[in-house]
Amino acid sequence: MDQRNCGREFGKRLGKGYRRRRLAAAVAAVMLAASLAGCGSAEEPTTRRAPIDTSKNARNLVKQAEQGAFSSESSGEPEPAKIGDYTTDGAKAEEGKASDLREIDRLTTSFASENKLMKVDVDAPVLVAECDAYPILSVTRGTIDDTLLTKAKEALLRDTQLYDGTRLYDPWEEDCIARGEEPDPAWDIRGKVPSSEIGTYPVDTKLESVKTGAQKKGDLESFQKYYMDLMPDGELFYGVTDGKDGSYASLCVTNSDRYGSSLKFWKSQDYRVRSGLVLPGNNIYSWPVEKGEDYVFNTEKNPSPPVGMPSKMTPVTLEDGEIQWQGDGSTDPDFKGCTVRISTKETNQVTREDATRQAEELLKTIGLTGEYAPTVVQEEYITDLEHLNDGRDADGKYGYEFLLGKAWHIIFERSINGNVLQDFGEKYTYRGGKRVWFGEVVEVYVNDNGIIGLAVSDPLKVEETVVEDGKLLDFNEIKSIYEKSQLEALNHSTMFDSLLTLSEEEAKESQVSHYSFKIDEISLRYARVTEQNEFEKALLVPVWSFCGSCYDENGKLATEGSFLEINAVDGTVYNAEVGY
């Protein structure tokens, strides 16, 4: 993995648990972006996780970090809790670097729910970063400004002219029209043009309010229905190249009060990739090469396929008389599956070290130095799942064909005195229009064509250091809190909702699966912690993350990642879905 120019092994530095979470997050982000693109609306987060201690607030947390938490189990007057010492004098990390992890303990234990539906086996090293202090920082939600946009444009595209990407046909629309077919009446193509005519609409590289854009583009129906619906008070820049040099590129920036801020760039030698979506992250599918070419499309390999395979559709009459087509879960007999072929243009012979160097130099060029450390470097397959061949053969059978390229995927995250700030809030679902605050991350894709992808998602603005050296609970107390909290946290999660309330007989009658959890890594990280009714500001605080895998009763992988996070300062369960 990434040598980070200092010979450190990635697995030792970050551990395998994080790689699992980040892959899941990348896939989930693209799924979410695709779903929003299709429906033009969003839903608020459903927050089902461990119970929340509503009494905690920023003032109490800061006080405990300064003075130390107090034990809640002593009789009589409370006594100071034993404070863990996870620091090494003089080991403060360099700016933009993540410290190596060292093992300070090992936790081995097992426990199960009374109804035997959930069993947890823990055999994991307890890992912490080498540092001399655990500061607590006050942060607010940042935005992308014209300065960063201009620097990114100059670094990635130099003097290449960009054109209005909101005017461009979507790929499937252009393919349909190119075949001489009538476009779907539901498509909003009024005011759009094919790529061959996009040169009519040059744009300056600067942000513009969505409302101003809507006023200028009264003929562009899709702009009114998409951007004005999703972010009427936001800002937008969406530029694309004309492809005349044999490659396609897009650069998009959005600042949305509801969905946050992001800068997205993508370049391809094979096809035009759409980047004009509101949500953070690159609009591209990618997964580790080691998982195989068909990983995303193979339900036996992938426990959470990001694309739903075609199902038999049945008309269902709703209460208001509307007819809605719903899938019954069985595979369409006319669907013959997915095939993949490897691109001859998006090749990847560049070394890991050179790819990392290019990514680090890019961050310096655009002014993102001293804050972010490379935390993941892995070779991945990349594909734009919007480009597929779904034509039917003579027998009426059809399938999807995907073109896969290769690239190094380098993920940068904020390093706080050598400790990585990780995004644990990756399990959002949406209902309504509630505001959300995604995790900060910078992602770069590099292959033989140079830097082909960049995503700067939800940058934080650090206001001040409120505690220079936070006092943390001893891990022995964390152990006790973990064993009392893990099953309850799972019981309040979306995937394992209310399993603890079922009796063994009820579980058997309803054929509910039994789940086994294997926790194989415990590490001290940072997380963004907000108060329950606060949105604009937060604290960056150390938390303990318990990582592993979950298997069903047949031994098939059901899900993986971090199954519980505990605030290292006050010992409360951190609710990753809401941020406190």
Side-chain angles (χ1 to χ4, degrees), residues 219-233:
D219 64 324
L220 187 55
E221 186 175 351
S222 61
F223 194 101
Q224 321 299 328
K225 290 183 177 179
Y226 184 73
Y227 292 106
M228 278 297 290
D229 180 53
L230 286 176
M231 45 183 288
D233 296 315

Side-chain angles (χ1 to χ4, degrees), residues 262-540:
S262 67
L263 179 151
K264 293 174 284 189
F265 164 79
W266 194 263
K267 181 177 70 173
S268 172
Q269 305 294 313
D270 285 311
Y271 41 65
R272 188 184 301 279
V273 179
R274 184 179 179 184
S275 290
L277 299 176
V278 170
L279 294 176
N282 267 316
N283 303 315
I284 198 78
Y285 278 87
S286 65
W287 62 92
V289 168
E290 64 189 29
K291 290 185 175 290
E293 297 174 9
D294 65 339
Y295 171 74
V296 165
F297 323 106
N298 190 326
T299 56
E300 293 300 317
K301 291 184 178 181
N302 184 3
S304 303
V307 286
M309 292 299 106
S311 299
K312 292 180 180 178
M313 304 300 289
T314 304
V316 176
T317 303
L318 306 180
E319 291 183 359
D320 60 3
E322 179 185 356
I323 296 179
Q324 186 179 86
W325 288 83
Q326 298 179 358
D328 64 5
S330 59
T331 301
D332 186 338
D334 289 337
F335 179 66
K336 60 183 179 182
C338 299
T339 59
V340 298
R341 53 190 178 90
I342 305 299
S343 170
T344 59
K345 296 179 179 178
E346 297 295 347
T347 56
N348 192 38
Q349 298 300 316
V350 63
T351 65
R352 181 196 317 269
E353 291 77 14
D354 190 29
T356 305
R357 177 191 58 77
Q358 291 185 50
E360 290 178 326
E361 288 180 354
L362 172 64
L363 264 62
K364 290 179 183 178
T365 301
I366 62 178
L368 300 180
T369 56
E371 299 176 350
Y372 301 99
T375 56
V376 171
V377 180
Q378 62 185 0
E379 188 177 27
E380 296 183 351
Y381 287 117
I382 54 174
T383 184
D384 173 15
L385 293 189
E386 291 180 345
H387 292 74
L388 48 87
N389 177 9
D390 58 357
R392 292 182 180 269
D393 59 23
D395 297 326
K397 304 290 184 180
Y398 68 101
Y400 297 160
E401 183 178 36
F402 299 97
L403 182 63
L404 307 186
K406 285 185 180 180
W408 291 105
H409 185 191
I410 303 101
I411 295 174
F412 293 83
E413 294 183 286
R414 186 174 293 272
S415 173
I416 304 166
N417 201 7
N419 298 275
V420 173
L421 171 65
Q422 291 191 350
D423 174 18
F424 294 107
E426 297 167 347
K427 301 183 179 70
Y428 284 112
T429 56
Y430 292 79
R431 294 188 183 123
K434 190 172 182 178
R435 298 162 73 194
V436 292
W437 191 348
F438 292 100
E440 177 188 50
V441 67
V442 178
E443 300 176 77
V444 182
Y445 286 84
V446 182
N447 65 12
D448 294 339
N449 297 313
I451 294 172
I452 61 170
L454 168 67
V456 181
S457 302
D458 273 318
L460 295 174
K461 181 181 179 182
V462 177
E463 299 291 338
E464 62 176 325
T465 300
V466 295
V467 178
E468 293 288 344
D469 186 7
K471 293 179 171 62
L472 311 185
L473 291 173
D474 185 81
F475 187 72
N476 285 328
E477 293 208 15
I478 300 297
K479 289 180 185 178
S480 176
I481 295 168
Y482 171 72
E483 293 188 7
K484 294 175 183 177
S485 305
Q486 179 65 95
L487 289 175
E488 186 65 18
L490 292 169
N491 191 55
H492 284 79
S493 67
T494 302
M495 184 170 182
F496 309 103
D497 185 20
S498 303
L499 279 183
L500 295 184
T501 63
L502 298 177
S503 67
E504 290 186 59
E505 292 75 17
E506 289 173 330
K508 187 174 182 180
E509 289 177 4
S510 56
Q511 297 181 327
V512 174
S513 292
H514 293 64
Y515 294 99
S516 61
F517 299 83
K518 308 293 183 183
I519 304 300
D520 57 12
E521 180 185 291
I522 303 166
S523 57
L524 188 62
R525 301 297 185 199
Y526 266 72
R528 189 188 71 236
V529 177
T530 58
E531 291 190 53
Q532 187 169 7
N533 297 315
E534 179 60 73
F535 187 84
E536 296 299 336
K537 57 186 178 180
L539 297 175
L540 304 186

Side-chain angles (χ1 to χ4, degrees), residues 28-282:
V30 180
M31 289 175 62
L32 194 51
S35 66
L36 281 182
C39 65
S41 62
E43 301 178 342
E44 72 180 51
T46 299
T47 56
R48 297 192 57 80
R49 197 63 189 271
I52 296 169
D53 178 4
T54 56
S55 66
K56 67 182 180 182
N57 57 49
R59 182 179 298 176
N60 290 339
L61 184 60
V62 170
K63 182 178 178 181
Q64 289 175 325
E66 291 174 333
Q67 302 177 3
F70 287 86
S71 174
S72 60
E73 298 192 4
S74 59
S75 57
E77 293 297 320
E79 299 176 355
K82 181 181 178 183
I83 301 301
D85 181 10
Y86 311 119
T87 60
T88 303
D89 291 340
K92 185 172 181 178
E94 302 174 49
E95 283 191 325
K97 299 295 181 184
S99 294
D100 281 342
L101 297 176
R102 63 185 174 96
E103 184 174 341
I104 63 166
D105 200 351
R106 191 171 191 92
L107 179 59
T108 304
T109 185
S110 297
F111 49 90
S113 59
E114 291 184 4
N115 60 10
K116 301 179 181 178
L117 290 180
M118 292 191 287
K119 180 183 179 183
V120 179
D121 291 308
V122 183
D123 186 8
V126 180
L127 305 172
V128 299
E130 298 269 3
C131 67
D132 62 1
Y134 286 95
I136 293 180
L137 308 179
S138 173
V139 297
T140 56
R141 196 180 187 193
T143 58
I144 307 292
D145 58 19
D146 279 323
T147 300
L148 181 56
L149 169 59
T150 300
K151 287 182 177 180
K153 161 62 167 62
E154 292 174 349
L156 297 165
L157 293 167
R158 295 181 175 82
D159 59 354
T160 302
Q161 176 63 53
L162 292 176
Y163 304 93
D164 186 0
T166 67
R167 291 277 184 184
L168 198 63
Y169 279 144
D170 291 324
W172 55 86
E173 295 170 354
E174 189 160 5
D175 289 345
C176 173
I177 294 171
R179 292 194 300 267
E181 301 174 5
E182 287 293 326
D184 190 316
W187 291 344
D188 300 320
I189 63 173
R190 185 165 62 92
K192 288 187 176 183
V193 297
S195 56
S196 59
E197 299 176 20
I198 196 63
T200 309
Y201 298 97
V203 290
D204 295 326
T205 309
K206 62 181 181 180
L207 285 156
E208 183 176 69
S209 76
V210 172
K211 286 183 178 177
T212 299
Q215 292 171 355
K216 292 180 179 179
K217 303 174 184 179
D219 64 324
L220 187 55
E221 186 175 351
S222 61
F223 194 101
Q224 321 299 328
K225 290 183 177 179
Y226 184 73
Y227 292 106
M228 278 297 290
D229 180 53
L230 286 176
M231 45 183 288
D233 296 315
E235 292 182 303
L236 173 69
F237 171 80
Y238 182 14
V240 300
T241 63
D242 57 15
K244 291 181 179 179
D245 64 352
S247 67
Y248 303 93
S250 61
L251 178 63
C252 177
V253 170
T254 55
N255 288 317
S256 167
D257 182 60
R258 184 182 297 175
Y259 300 112
S261 301
S262 67
L263 179 151
K264 293 174 284 189
F265 164 79
W266 194 263
K267 181 177 70 173
S268 172
Q269 305 294 313
D270 285 311
Y271 41 65
R272 188 184 301 279
V273 179
R274 184 179 179 184
S275 290
L277 299 176
V278 170
L279 294 176
N282 267 316

